[in-house]
Amino acid sequence: MNKQSLVQKSIRLLLFLGILCALFLTVQDVLKKDTEHRGSDVVKGFYAEKKNDMDVVFLGSSTMFCTVDPLVLYENYGIAAYDFGCSAQAFESEYLYLKEVLRYQKPKVIGLEVVSIKKKTDPSDLEVWSYAMADLRFSFDKMTELYRMLHTERDIYAMQMLPILQYKDRWKELSEEDFADNRVNYTKGAYTPAKITEEPLDFSRYYTDEPEGPIPEENRETLEKIVTLCRENGISLFLFKGPNIGWTVHDTENVQELADQYDLPFLNYFDLLEELNVDPVGDFRDFSHFNRFGSQKASVYMGQYLKEQYDLPDRRAQEGENSWDISLQARARDRAQEALRGAQGLDAYLNLIPYTGHTVVFSFHGDTRRLQFYKEYLSTVLRVPVEEMTGNFSIVEINGLCDEGVIDGSDKTVRKKTGRGLLGRGELEVSADGFWWNGENGVLAEDGITIWVYDDEWEQLVDHVGFAADAVDTAVRPAED
């Protein structure tokens, strides 16, 4: 075999191995279970960001990403920040997350939320490690740091290095969503639902609960490594603590002792509850997490603190649109759609429908004489003849236009392809008798109106609701599975 032939064969072998590796990684990525805001959305979103585009990165578990909302920081102060963490994250793994940050970003400031610093690492908790590690990219740091933490649990270690070992049987439950490329995180890692807790938080326990003991030695060592790595890279590090039941003043004192030891600022939100007018009911979604309203208060304060303590640029002043601008636009759209899904009365609903960029179906059925006012309203908005709105009929509008007009008994069924999923296109069929989405009947009000709203840009169903002609103030939506 001559040298040229050997080189060609080697190249073909390398190409084959490269293709095989790419195929394996693609299959593994599809099979991995998406843990959504608990880990997947945050980690995938981090990798989707432009390299070296963040000035502040927050590390920690769910208390972190429910306390600090980067979009509030950007909207009010122009700070480009990201929440990088996962639910129930072991404090030891924060060092690995910091090393991952430094592979892709050069932040000026790191904010470390410390709720998990008092907890010992549990190597046997597969769910928690899957939140943290399944979507973290392969690296030498991941291989070595994870082994250090999980060397007593070899099976769990292997599953985090090769997630396909954990999710190999998920092919039976794959859906179109598993094939979608949902990597961009428009919340910048934050999770701030509007849900309000049913029970008020009793913060007096902060001062009365018994201490649980000292900070575990492995977590003290982790903090020391984080401090060293930040200082080696010229990064300012500060600690902070969001409020939650279970944390005590003794825990605060333990953290303050460490902060003093390493000359670190420590921002404790327990000291700010009165100043920020925190509501123990309205500002929390449960005993451990701020909701949207509490996070807004905490984030406005955090932004002010960062601007006073650190030299951070105002990214709003830069020319051109950046990813935080796009995320604010996405949030505005999401909040508008959220308001639509929460609307109960037909009057309010018709005024909230977003026409631009959406496909909307209006389907009238049965005895709809009491809906004449609403027929006239739609006739004006959609510019279709009101005299054609008799009996059972449907209307399809796309981006505010109704090419078919009123679809009554004399019309054929209108079929439209909606969405661009890899497993096939969602099919919408509309006739005078109703409408079908992927073969399922969509009519929710036999004597009334059913409305179906689909976002064409985001390729997702926004809402599906019915209003009976004799009860237009009561929305009827499909029961959740």
Side-chain angles (χ1 to χ4, degrees):
M1 182 182 298
N2 59 44
K3 185 176 180 180
Q4 183 177 2
S5 176
L6 180 61
V7 170
Q8 290 175 343
K9 286 188 175 183
S10 299
I11 291 174
R12 286 197 293 268
L13 178 61
L14 290 174
L15 286 174
F16 172 77
L17 292 176
I19 293 171
L20 191 63
C21 181
L23 181 61
F24 171 80
L25 292 176
T26 300
V27 171
Q28 177 174 260
D29 198 48
V30 169
L31 287 174
K32 279 189 299 187
K33 184 177 181 179
D34 192 338
T35 56
E36 298 180 329
H37 70 272
R38 292 181 180 274
S40 295
D41 290 355
V42 176
V43 175
K44 290 179 181 178
F46 174 80
Y47 292 128
E49 294 290 336
K50 182 180 177 182
K51 193 169 184 178
N52 298 330
D53 203 34
M54 300 174 188
D55 295 319
V56 181
V57 175
F58 296 97
L59 300 176
S61 62
S62 56
T63 307
M64 174 271 293
F65 59 68
C66 291
T67 297
V68 182
D69 185 340
L71 292 188
V72 173
L73 301 184
Y74 179 77
E75 186 172 26
N76 289 274
Y77 304 99
I79 297 171
Y82 194 91
D83 290 347
F84 192 42
C86 71
S87 293
Q89 186 167 1
F91 191 79
E92 277 192 279
S93 68
E94 304 291 4
Y95 179 63
L96 175 57
Y97 265 62
L98 175 58
K99 299 198 84 171
E100 195 70 2
V101 167
L102 297 182
R103 290 178 66 199
Y104 298 93
Q105 301 291 333
K106 294 181 179 179
K108 301 175 185 297
V109 179
I110 293 288
L112 177 61
E113 209 284 334
V114 294
V115 68
S116 61
I117 197 170
K118 68 176 185 176
K119 300 176 183 178
K120 288 183 68 67
T121 299
D122 182 1
S124 66
D125 195 331
L126 174 60
E127 184 177 44
V128 167
W129 288 107
S130 297
Y131 292 160
M133 299 297 166
D135 294 289
L136 213 62
R137 289 178 178 172
F138 177 85
S139 67
F140 180 77
D141 287 328
K142 179 179 179 180
M143 184 172 64
T144 54
E145 285 296 318
L146 197 55
Y147 183 78
R148 180 182 60 80
M149 293 181 281
L150 298 180
H151 64 275
T152 60
E153 300 288 341
R154 301 293 180 88
D155 290 346
I156 293 179
Y157 173 74
M159 289 178 185
Q160 304 319 308
M161 293 306 301
L162 290 173
I164 198 169
L165 297 176
Q166 181 178 352
Y167 301 115
K168 60 183 182 299
D169 295 327
R170 272 201 74 237
W171 62 269
K172 303 172 185 177
E173 57 186 69
L174 291 179
S175 66
E176 185 173 342
E177 291 184 2
D178 290 296
F179 290 84
D181 187 18
N182 299 323
R183 297 186 180 276
V184 176
N185 188 326
Y186 292 109
T187 74
K188 302 297 183 182
Y191 180 63
T192 56
K195 179 183 176 183
I196 295 176
T197 182
E198 297 179 359
E199 297 291 336
L201 276 70
D202 180 10
F203 286 121
S204 66
R205 294 171 55 185
Y206 171 69
Y207 297 99
T208 58
D209 281 359
E210 293 296 321
E212 297 181 12
I215 294 173
E217 187 59 33
E218 59 265 34
N219 291 345
R220 291 175 174 270
E221 293 174 358
T222 296
L223 179 60
E224 182 177 5
K225 291 193 294 185
I226 289 173
V227 170
T228 300
L229 187 57
C230 283
R231 289 175 177 169
E232 287 175 350
N233 286 272
I235 298 171
S236 298
L237 172 68
F238 74 97
L239 311 180
F240 72 102
K241 179 69 196 76
N244 71 283
I245 300 301
W247 188 268
T248 72
V249 67
H250 307 287
D251 299 320
T252 294
E253 291 168 352
N254 287 338
V255 172
Q256 186 64 63
E257 179 185 348
L258 279 177
D260 293 342
Q261 177 182 338
Y262 294 109
D263 194 24
L264 298 174
F266 177 33
L267 177 61
N268 181 23
Y269 275 96
F270 280 99
D271 296 336
L272 301 170
L273 296 176
E274 185 175 349
E275 179 181 342
L276 299 183
N277 194 27
V278 172
D279 184 340
V281 176
D283 287 336
F284 292 86
R285 67 177 173 91
D286 58 27
F287 68 93
S288 192
H289 304 98
F290 273 131
N291 59 18
R292 178 176 305 164
F293 317 108
S295 176
Q296 173 77 22
K297 295 176 181 179
S299 300
V300 168
Y301 185 90
M302 178 65 80
Q304 180 181 354
Y305 174 83
L306 290 171
K307 293 297 283 188
E308 290 176 353
Q309 298 295 321
Y310 306 105
D311 182 19
L312 297 171
D314 186 340
R315 295 294 191 100
R316 298 169 300 179
Q318 295 178 349
E319 292 186 6
E321 192 174 59
N322 62 40
S323 69
W324 281 264
D325 293 317
I326 295 171
S327 290
L328 281 177
Q329 295 167 17
R331 168 166 290 183
R333 186 167 185 159
D334 185 60
R335 295 285 166 84
Q337 294 182 354
E338 185 180 272
L340 186 73
R341 292 189 294 269
Q344 292 300 310
L346 181 54
D347 294 85
Y349 197 91
L350 291 176
N351 284 312
L352 289 171
I353 291 175
Y355 291 100
T356 303
H358 292 74
T359 294
V360 185
V361 177
F362 303 92
S363 191
F364 290 79
H365 285 273
D367 185 353
T368 59
R369 288 172 293 179
R370 296 187 184 185
L371 298 178
Q372 188 60 32
F373 169 80
Y374 300 103
K375 293 178 183 179
E376 293 174 357
Y377 172 86
L378 287 173
S379 172
T380 301
V381 172
L382 303 177
R383 290 173 290 180
V384 295
V386 69
E387 58 270 17
E388 295 182 13
M389 298 182 179
T390 59
N392 288 3
F393 67 90
S394 298
I395 302 173
V396 181
E397 73 79 26
I398 300 178
N399 206 30
L401 301 176
C402 302
D403 294 336
E404 290 83 16
V406 175
I407 302 171
D408 57 26
S410 63
D411 289 301
K412 297 180 179 179
T413 299
V414 173
R415 292 183 174 84
K416 297 184 180 297
K417 298 290 186 180
T418 310
R420 298 192 298 271
L422 294 179
L423 292 182
R425 297 171 181 269
E427 187 168 71
L428 173 66
E429 300 181 37
V430 184
S431 73
D433 296 325
F435 65 94
W436 294 261
W437 167 240
N438 287 337
E440 295 185 9
N441 191 339
V443 173
L444 296 177
E446 293 184 1
D447 292 308
I449 178 175
T450 298
I451 305 174
W452 182 89
V453 183
Y454 185 87
D455 189 315
D456 295 319
E457 182 178 343
W458 286 6
E459 298 182 356
Q460 64 182 25
L461 183 62
V462 176
D463 199 20
H464 181 193
V465 63
F467 297 91
D470 59 353
V472 293
D473 291 330
T474 304
V476 178
R477 290 178 170 87
E480 295 184 1
D481 296 333

